[in-house]
Amino acid sequence: TSIISTKWRYLFASISTIEFDRYLLRGLTHRNVDSFKNFVDRLLKLPDQVSLDCFRLRDAISCNDGDHDFDVSGWICAALCRGVKEINLELHNLGDVPPVLFTCHSLVTLRLDARGCKIEVPSVVCLGNLKTLQLIHWVLFGDDSIHRLISNCHVLEDLAFIECFVENARELHIQIPSLKSLVLHFVTRRDRDLNYGVVIDVPNLVYFRYNAAIVECYSHMKSLEKADICIYGFHSNLSIDATHLIQGICNVWYLSLNIHEVISGTSRLLIFHNLIEFKFCGRETSLVEFLHCAPNLKTLTIRFLDFERTRWKALSIEVPSCLSFHLKEIEFSCFDTHMIEMVNYFLENAIVLKKLVISMDLLTWIQKAEASNQLLKLLKSSNKCLIVIL
C-alpha cells in the first residue's frame, strides 16, 4: 500500500491491536527472520504512535537461537509505554518477564503463561486498573510474591490459576472483595505431599471453579451462584475431609461436581436450598448423599465413574424430597445396562418428572435395542414424563 501512496507508508503504526501467533515464523529463512525482527521493532517503538489496546505474543519466536536474539522484553516494555490495556503472553523459554509489567496502570487484562520462564514479582506492585488476571503454569512458592501480586489489584474481578504447582507453601490466601470469578486449577505431583491449605475470602464471588486434589479449604463465598468442582486424590490423601470446600459453596443454584474418589464428611453437608441444576460425576453412594441435600433440585445430570452394580434401592431408604416435589428433568450420560434399576427408581419416585434423557454412546447396537425395550416397559409415576433415548 505504501507503493500506491506515500501517505500510507506509516499507516501500520496506527493499529491498536498487535498479535504475533505461534505459527507466524514457520518456514521463514534467516534473512526473513531478521526482517521480521526489525519490522516489530519499528512497529512498537516508532514515536508518536496511538495507544495500544491489545498486545499478544504466543510463543511466536519458536526459532529463536543464538543468531537471532529477539528483544522480547523490549517489545513488552514498548507495549507498556503505549498504554496497552490487554497483554497475552505465552513466553515458552523466551527469557524473563520485565518487572515493569506488574506496575502498569493502564493494564485491564493480563494473561501470562510462565512455562519455562523466570518471573519475579517486584516488591512494589501497582495494577490499579487490572480486572482480569490469568496465571498459567506458575510455580507458587512459600514466599509472599503471589499474595503481594493479587492483593494490590484492588479492582480485580476475574482471577485464574491454571495448571499451577504449589511448592513449599503452607497456605494460599485469596482475599479480594471485588472478585467475581475465581478459577483454581492446581497440578499435583505424585511424589509431593499435599501439606498446604487454601483460604478463600471473596464475599462478592459469583463463579468458582476448583480443579485439584483434596486439601484443607476454607471459604467465604456468600454471593456464589455457579460452581464447577473437580476433586481428585492420590492414595496418600484420600482421607482428607472435603466438607469445608463443599460447605463453602452451599448457596449456588448451579453445581457441577466431579468426584474421582469417595471422600469423607458428606454426611455433614449443609442443605443446598438454592440448588436447582446439578451435574454429578462420581460414585453412586455419593450421589445419594447429595440428593438429600438439594430439596429444590429441578435438573439432574448423572455420569458414573465406576460400574460396581450397587443395588440402588438399598442405598436410599428415604426418598429425597426433591424427587417428590421439584425434579423435572434427568439425564443419564454414558448409560450402561446395569443402571436400569436406577432409572426405574427415578421413574417410580420422581412424581413431577417431565423429561428423562438417556445417552447410550457406550453400548453396541444390540445392547441399545435390548436396553431400550426394557426402559420403555418401566412404569412411570408421572404421566407427563417423556423418555428420550439417544
Side-chain angles (χ1 to χ4, degrees):
T1 56
S2 61
I3 297 175
I4 299 175
S5 174
T6 56
K7 294 180 180 180
W8 294 350
R9 184 173 183 182
Y10 297 104
L11 189 62
F12 71 90
S14 65
I15 61 176
S16 60
T17 297
I18 300 175
E19 177 174 356
F20 302 123
D21 193 76
R22 65 184 65 185
Y23 302 111
L24 188 62
L25 297 183
R26 178 172 292 181
L28 293 182
T29 64
H30 288 287
R31 179 180 300 177
N32 287 336
V33 169
D34 286 334
S35 299
F36 170 76
K37 181 179 67 173
N38 294 331
F39 167 75
V40 176
D41 290 337
R42 293 171 57 211
L43 178 63
L44 288 171
K45 300 177 182 179
L46 278 176
D48 300 326
Q49 291 178 317
V50 298
S51 60
L52 197 60
D53 290 333
C54 180
F55 177 67
R56 300 189 187 103
L57 181 60
R58 303 178 57 208
D59 197 18
I61 321 302
S62 56
C63 62
N64 195 9
D65 53 34
D67 296 330
H68 302 284
D69 293 326
F70 294 91
D71 186 16
V72 175
S73 180
W75 293 353
I76 297 174
C77 292
L80 298 176
C81 291
R82 290 179 57 179
V84 64
K85 296 178 181 178
E86 177 184 343
I87 285 187
N88 187 335
L89 302 175
E90 292 183 15
L91 305 179
H92 297 180
N93 305 300
L94 289 180
D96 301 341
V97 172
V100 69
L101 178 65
F102 302 104
T103 60
C104 180
H105 291 274
S106 63
L107 268 181
V108 177
T109 300
L110 175 58
R111 183 182 185 273
L112 185 56
D113 190 334
R115 181 185 298 173
C117 302
K118 181 180 180 181
I119 299 177
E120 293 185 2
V121 179
S123 57
V124 178
V125 176
C126 186
L127 295 168
N129 292 310
L130 193 69
K131 292 186 177 180
T132 299
L133 176 61
Q134 295 184 6
L135 305 177
I136 306 169
H137 298 122
W138 277 54
V139 179
L140 311 180
F141 290 103
D143 56 18
D144 64 342
S145 60
I146 292 297
H147 180 265
R148 185 167 65 251
L149 173 59
I150 63 178
S151 62
N152 284 280
C153 302
H154 301 297
V155 297
L156 194 64
E157 296 181 358
D158 185 349
L159 174 62
F161 294 93
I162 302 175
E163 296 187 28
C164 293
F165 295 90
V166 179
E167 298 283 351
N168 302 321
R170 298 184 60 183
E171 182 179 274
L172 178 62
H173 194 175
I174 301 174
Q175 185 177 11
I176 309 174
S178 60
L179 204 63
K180 295 181 180 179
S181 174
L182 175 62
V183 176
L184 300 180
H185 181 185
F186 296 142
V187 180
T188 304
R189 297 187 176 99
R190 292 182 176 271
D191 58 341
R192 303 295 176 89
D193 294 329
L194 301 176
N195 55 359
Y196 66 93
V198 180
V199 178
I200 306 171
D201 187 6
V202 280
N204 294 308
L205 197 71
V206 176
Y207 174 75
F208 177 53
R209 178 158 68 92
Y210 181 90
N211 189 338
I214 304 173
V215 297
E216 292 293 340
C217 183
Y218 299 89
S219 57
H220 173 56
M221 298 180 282
K222 63 180 181 179
S223 301
L224 196 65
E225 297 179 359
K226 298 182 65 176
D228 289 297
I229 308 297
C230 180
I231 301 175
Y232 59 88
F234 301 136
H235 295 294
S236 60
N237 69 308
L238 291 183
S239 61
I240 294 179
D241 196 340
T243 304
H244 295 294
L245 174 62
I246 303 299
Q247 287 180 346
I249 61 173
C250 63
N251 293 321
V252 296
W253 62 265
Y254 169 90
L255 174 61
S256 175
L257 184 63
N258 190 329
I259 304 178
H260 287 210
E261 301 289 347
V262 176
I263 58 177
S264 62
T266 54
S267 60
R268 302 193 302 275
L269 293 179
L270 299 177
I271 302 299
F272 289 67
H273 291 284
N274 300 328
L275 188 63
I276 60 175
E277 185 174 351
F278 184 32
K279 293 186 177 181
F280 177 82
C281 180
R283 300 180 183 276
E284 299 175 19
T285 51
S286 299
L287 175 61
V288 177
E289 300 291 344
F290 284 103
L291 287 181
H292 281 290
C293 298
N296 299 307
L297 189 65
K298 294 182 179 180
T299 303
L300 174 64
T301 302
I302 304 171
R303 180 177 181 177
F304 291 114
L305 296 175
D306 62 339
F307 300 94
E308 296 178 353
R309 303 182 184 276
T310 306
R311 293 186 61 83
W312 176 256
K313 292 183 179 179
L315 295 176
S316 180
I317 300 176
E318 179 182 357
V319 178
S321 61
C322 62
L323 270 67
S324 302
F325 301 103
H326 299 287
L327 194 60
K328 295 182 178 180
E329 184 172 341
I330 302 175
E331 178 179 350
F332 280 84
S333 177
C334 300
F335 177 83
D336 193 50
T337 53
H338 83 278
M339 299 179 187
I340 292 180
E341 183 180 8
M342 189 184 311
V343 174
N344 183 51
Y345 172 84
F346 279 112
L347 290 175
E348 287 182 349
N349 294 281
I351 300 176
V352 297
L353 192 65
K354 292 185 177 180
K355 188 176 183 180
L356 176 64
V357 180
I358 299 176
S359 177
M360 298 186 179
D361 294 338
L362 298 180
L363 304 182
T364 64
W365 284 105
I366 296 177
Q367 291 175 325
K368 288 180 181 179
E370 294 177 352
S372 298
N373 290 331
Q374 296 183 52
L375 290 170
L376 294 176
K377 293 178 181 178
L378 297 178
L379 298 178
K380 301 178 292 183
S381 60
S382 173
N383 296 327
K384 298 180 179 179
C385 180
L386 174 66
I387 299 178
V388 179
I389 300 175
L390 303 177

